[in-house]
Amino acid sequence: MKGILLILVTLISFRSYACVNINAPEAINVSLSLIDKKAMIFDEEGIFQDEMPSLLASSCQKAASQKKFMMFAIGIENFILSDEFLSFSINDTLTFGSKDQCRIENVEKINGLKKEDRNKRLQRRRYLINHCVSFDVEDKSKTGLELPEEGQPGCKLNRIDKNRANFFGFFCFFKPKPDSQFKITPKIAQKCLEKEFYDENKFALQDIMGTLELYAAGDATGRSAKLEFLEDIKFRFTQNPDPIVPTNKSRYEDIPKWPTQWKIKNTTVGKININKISDELITIKAPILVNNQCEESKCLNGVCTSSCDYSQPVASEYALFDITNPKKKEYIKSWFDGGIAPADWIGMISGLGISLNKNSLEKNRRYRLEVDMNDIEYNYMMFKGQIESRLLLNPNTIPNIAREGQTIGSINPIGEIQRYNSLPSFPVFDTIRFTGENHVGVKNSVNSISRVFKNTVWPPYFTDYCENGQCILKKDHRLLFALEFNIDIDKNDKYIIENVSYKKISNHNNQTTIQNFKGPYFTCEPPGSDQDDDGWDDDDFGDIDF
């Protein structure tokens, strides 16, 4: 962790060196309507933009004097079987060639778990982005926009005039000068608003999370170890799936549409983790394994999609009890936890967990953890409110849930969230970027919820829960997991979970009871060397190229 903190401090210091003045939106969300043949651009508060926002950078004298290059990149979400570490692929060639051994243990074979499956998923989405999203780069310098002499290894570029060029691809380079004033603006290709484009290319309508990144680089090869982070913008690119699948309804025409059927399957609670974090406190986490992959899509006039081609919230209500006395169930703690399952993805929703007084759990006692997933909408809203409460250290008033088929209501605590690293109650490292010879990565311990935390137009109100082609109305849905266990504490104060029994209680899919339950868990350790790693070992991601 000391290494992480050192990198964080170093990267923050870079911000003032390469370019002094940088102005960028926090997020750019684009929703395409093939029916109306237009692109809707909106920020996280749901305010629609008349034109595409731009990233502005100037006062780059330091970068110019050091003969550096500016590198602008579009990273595509590539969460590797877990949302605990937010990874975005920038140089896909390196991502495909990386030697990561990440996997989920104690789980049956499911499509999407292998590295080859992850590469194909990334390739499909990159191909769509390359067709539909390009970037205009302008430099108002007197001498114009200067480009590398030896071409671009990561993008294709079309010169517009002396001061401007348009590019698409992984990443692109341009030269800063003392009087440079850069303006970088995303552009959406007109062809991507036409149904014929998706039919001809066999692209599904889908939801892609990404990031727009600006760096100062030591050279223009795409492999420089001298990368200085300058800015990033959350980027989301989606297409309206209406009327192919059921979507949210509204009295307003011009709003993004999202599927309203929650089709995540193979849901189960993973391995419980209890860790000592101080002399007085411990944390408890129980990740959720989810499968947001649909076997079949629906098609209309050659255009296809499914609910699983869109990101879905996953949130649960947790409750911990002492059941040592079989006649008395003693309440210990309850909380909400969860994250976001990206489109067409399988993995562990890590969650944030909760802290407890270390005396809350003792040897020679029996405990029961209940994980309630009856109402994803309610759980998700409460989870967001819980995070806001931690951030601001003041209570929330949870509003009534609007059941009008629109989007989930927002929570309005006192004050406004600015940056996640202001959180005082548990350690958070906001968008820590690792730089090295072969990769640029992004890790964020607030997990996937940070990607959509302020978004007021997503998720929608869900009408149905579906699995294996069968749907049940949301109001009738019941899904509860119950895990009973003992703990042991070794001489190093490591908590060991023992004698775990598992129950899945559902009125929609098969109920399950398992004794000596071995919960699934995420690891990147070489096979045979894993010691029930908690996911925080820096070496886990040593060989992954993002």
Side-chain angles (χ1 to χ4, degrees):
M1 298 300 286
K2 290 181 180 178
I4 292 178
L5 288 171
L6 179 61
I7 292 171
L8 179 63
V9 171
T10 304
L11 288 168
I12 289 173
S13 69
F14 286 157
R15 196 179 185 89
S16 63
Y17 288 160
C19 291
V20 175
N21 297 325
I22 297 179
N23 189 349
E26 184 176 346
I28 297 176
N29 300 289
V30 180
S31 179
L32 306 186
S33 172
L34 277 58
I35 297 174
D36 300 323
K37 295 186 178 181
K38 66 179 182 180
M40 290 174 282
I41 304 158
F42 57 98
D43 63 17
E44 296 208 282
E45 284 75 27
I47 299 174
F48 289 85
Q49 314 290 315
D50 293 330
E51 58 184 26
M52 188 71 75
S54 300
L55 186 156
L56 307 176
S58 60
S59 300
C60 301
Q61 290 89 345
K62 187 74 173 181
S65 67
Q66 294 178 346
K67 298 183 179 181
K68 292 188 175 182
F69 288 84
M70 306 299 289
M71 182 180 105
F72 183 74
I74 176 167
I76 293 181
E77 170 270 310
N78 191 40
F79 298 176
I80 301 176
L81 300 177
S82 172
D83 75 333
E84 184 171 10
F85 302 101
L86 305 194
S87 53
F88 295 85
S89 178
I90 290 177
N91 189 337
D92 294 350
T93 302
L94 295 176
T95 302
F96 296 149
S98 67
K99 299 178 181 179
D100 79 84
Q101 303 178 78
C102 298
R103 64 198 182 280
I104 297 176
E105 295 282 13
N106 299 335
V107 65
E108 62 184 25
K109 292 183 179 180
I110 304 173
N111 289 336
L113 288 174
K114 295 181 180 179
K115 185 177 187 300
E116 293 77 11
D117 299 328
R118 302 198 296 271
N119 286 350
K120 289 178 182 178
R121 173 178 177 266
L122 173 61
Q123 191 173 34
R124 289 194 300 268
R125 292 175 301 140
R126 176 67 75 178
Y127 196 50
L128 177 60
I129 287 290
N130 281 351
H131 272 279
C132 294
V133 184
S134 64
F135 298 88
D136 281 348
V137 178
E138 178 183 8
D139 186 357
K140 294 182 180 180
S141 167
K142 292 180 181 180
T143 56
L145 177 66
E146 184 178 344
L147 302 171
E149 296 179 358
E150 298 181 1
Q152 298 279 359
C155 74
K156 292 185 178 180
L157 185 146
N158 297 312
R159 172 73 80 165
I160 300 172
D161 56 35
K162 172 185 173 182
N163 293 89
R164 295 182 299 157
N166 176 267
F167 80 84
F168 67 89
F170 306 156
F171 49 88
C172 211
F173 294 92
F174 39 94
K175 261 286 195 184
K177 285 161 284 189
D179 66 337
S180 286
Q181 297 181 56
F182 294 110
K183 180 180 181 181
I184 305 170
T185 309
K187 291 188 66 177
I188 306 300
Q190 184 63 33
K191 66 182 180 181
C192 297
L193 298 171
E194 305 289 341
K195 296 178 182 178
E196 293 76 16
F197 167 76
Y198 297 90
D199 184 15
E200 292 170 4
N201 291 280
K202 306 304 177 187
F203 287 140
L205 304 184
Q206 58 191 279
D207 176 23
I208 300 174
M209 292 190 292
T211 179
L212 309 181
E213 306 266 345
L214 182 66
Y215 293 87
D219 57 45
T221 64
R223 293 176 176 270
S224 173
K226 298 178 181 179
L227 283 177
E228 301 178 4
F229 166 74
L230 299 178
E231 187 59 86
D232 69 344
I233 302 170
K234 288 184 283 186
F235 182 69
R236 192 170 187 178
F237 180 75
T238 187
Q239 297 96 42
N240 179 353
D242 185 49
I244 303 174
V245 298
T247 61
N248 49 302
K249 307 300 179 184
S250 173
R251 56 184 174 271
Y252 302 107
E253 291 290 332
D254 295 335
I255 67 165
K257 299 294 181 69
W258 313 96
T260 54
Q261 291 182 328
W262 197 80
K263 287 193 172 183
I264 288 181
K265 58 187 178 182
N266 303 118
T267 307
T268 190
V269 179
K271 177 179 175 289
I272 299 172
N273 291 300
I274 301 175
N275 294 293
K276 179 182 176 182
I277 59 172
S278 73
D279 290 339
E280 301 296 329
L281 295 175
I282 58 174
T283 59
I284 180 169
K285 290 174 67 173
I288 304 292
L289 173 65
V290 299
N291 183 356
N292 190 24
Q293 301 174 118
C294 288
E295 296 178 359
E296 295 182 358
S297 297
K298 290 185 177 181
C299 301
L300 180 65
N301 298 326
V303 181
C304 302
T305 191
S306 72
S307 296
C308 303
D309 288 310
Y310 293 79
S311 303
Q312 302 277 20
V314 178
S316 309
E317 181 177 7
Y318 289 72
L320 182 63
F321 303 91
D322 187 324
I323 56 169
T324 305
N325 183 346
K327 296 181 180 180
K328 187 177 181 182
K329 185 178 178 182
E330 297 183 10
Y331 170 83
I332 298 175
K333 187 85 170 181
S334 61
W335 67 98
F336 294 86
D337 213 343
I340 308 301
D344 191 28
W345 181 82
I346 182 171
M348 304 294 298
I349 301 296
S350 174
L352 303 181
I354 200 72
S355 60
L356 301 169
N357 187 291
K358 71 173 185 178
N359 296 325
S360 300
L361 301 180
E362 301 174 349
K363 291 183 178 182
N364 304 317
R365 302 194 69 82
R366 188 76 173 164
Y367 298 98
R368 178 182 174 97
L369 179 65
E370 295 181 357
V371 184
D372 187 333
M373 299 186 71
N374 289 342
D375 191 335
I376 296 296
E377 175 187 3
Y378 174 80
N379 292 344
Y380 179 79
M381 187 172 67
M382 293 292 283
F383 177 42
K384 284 183 65 174
Q386 179 179 280
I387 296 174
E388 289 181 331
S389 182
R390 291 189 195 181
L391 283 166
L392 300 169
L393 291 183
N394 61 359
N396 291 318
T397 299
I398 304 299
N400 292 328
I401 298 176
R403 301 285 184 176
E404 299 176 357
Q406 299 180 31
T407 56
I408 293 178
S410 61
I411 298 168
N412 300 304
I414 300 172
E416 181 69 19
I417 298 172
Q418 298 298 328
R419 300 290 291 177
Y420 287 98
N421 56 0
S422 62
L423 182 64
S425 55
F426 57 90
V428 173
F429 305 96
D430 182 43
T431 51
I432 298 173
R433 291 159 184 83
F434 290 80
T435 60
E437 274 190 19
N438 294 324
H439 67 267
V440 176
V442 180
K443 294 172 71 174
N444 187 327
S445 65
V446 183
N447 78 18
S448 55
I449 190 68
S450 65
R451 291 289 305 178
V452 295
F453 195 86
K454 293 183 181 179
N455 198 319
T456 60
V457 298
W458 183 92
Y461 163 75
F462 293 103
T463 57
D464 304 274
Y465 289 79
C466 305
E467 188 165 346
N468 299 323
Q470 301 295 318
C471 294
I472 187 172
L473 289 176
K474 177 181 164 312
K475 66 181 181 66
D476 299 324
H477 180 251
R478 299 290 179 271
L479 179 59
L480 176 75
F481 300 94
L483 290 84
E484 298 181 0
F485 60 94
N486 300 100
I487 65 166
D488 193 10
I489 306 172
D490 68 15
K491 61 182 180 180
N492 297 317
D493 286 336
K494 181 178 180 179
Y495 284 74
I496 303 166
I497 313 298
E498 300 178 326
N499 306 320
V500 182
S501 67
Y502 167 95
K503 282 187 179 181
K504 178 182 179 182
I505 303 166
S506 172
N507 65 346
H508 181 46
N509 42 42
N510 295 333
Q511 302 199 62
T512 307
T513 299
I514 302 175
Q515 302 298 328
N516 298 317
F517 175 68
K518 302 292 185 183
Y521 65 94
F522 168 78
T523 181
C524 291
E525 291 290 328
S529 66
D530 179 64
Q531 299 294 325
D532 290 342
D533 184 82
D534 65 359
W536 275 99
D537 188 338
D538 293 342
D539 293 334
D540 279 0
F541 283 80
D543 293 327
I544 296 179
D545 297 314
F546 293 91

